Amino acid sequence: MIRTPDAFGPGVTVLGAEVEVPEDAPLQDRLLGLFGRDPN
């Protein structure tokens, strides 16, 4: 649900599409990727 466009109101985007990161990446990088943020 949190990836649904406008789920929290018109024009509100909470999470982007998942960004792939290596499996052995640090936890913080993997979490950022899950939230749709590029850790680089």
Side-chain angles (χ1 to χ4, degrees):
M1 178 180 136
I2 54 180
R3 290 194 197 276
T4 304
D6 301 329
F8 295 97
V12 177
T13 302
V14 177
L15 300 178
E18 186 173 349
V19 175
E20 290 189 33
V21 295
E23 282 189 31
D24 61 345
L27 179 59
Q28 179 176 342
D29 290 356
R30 290 185 284 148
L31 187 58
L32 286 170
L34 180 65
F35 288 163
R37 305 291 185 244
D38 186 353
N40 295 319

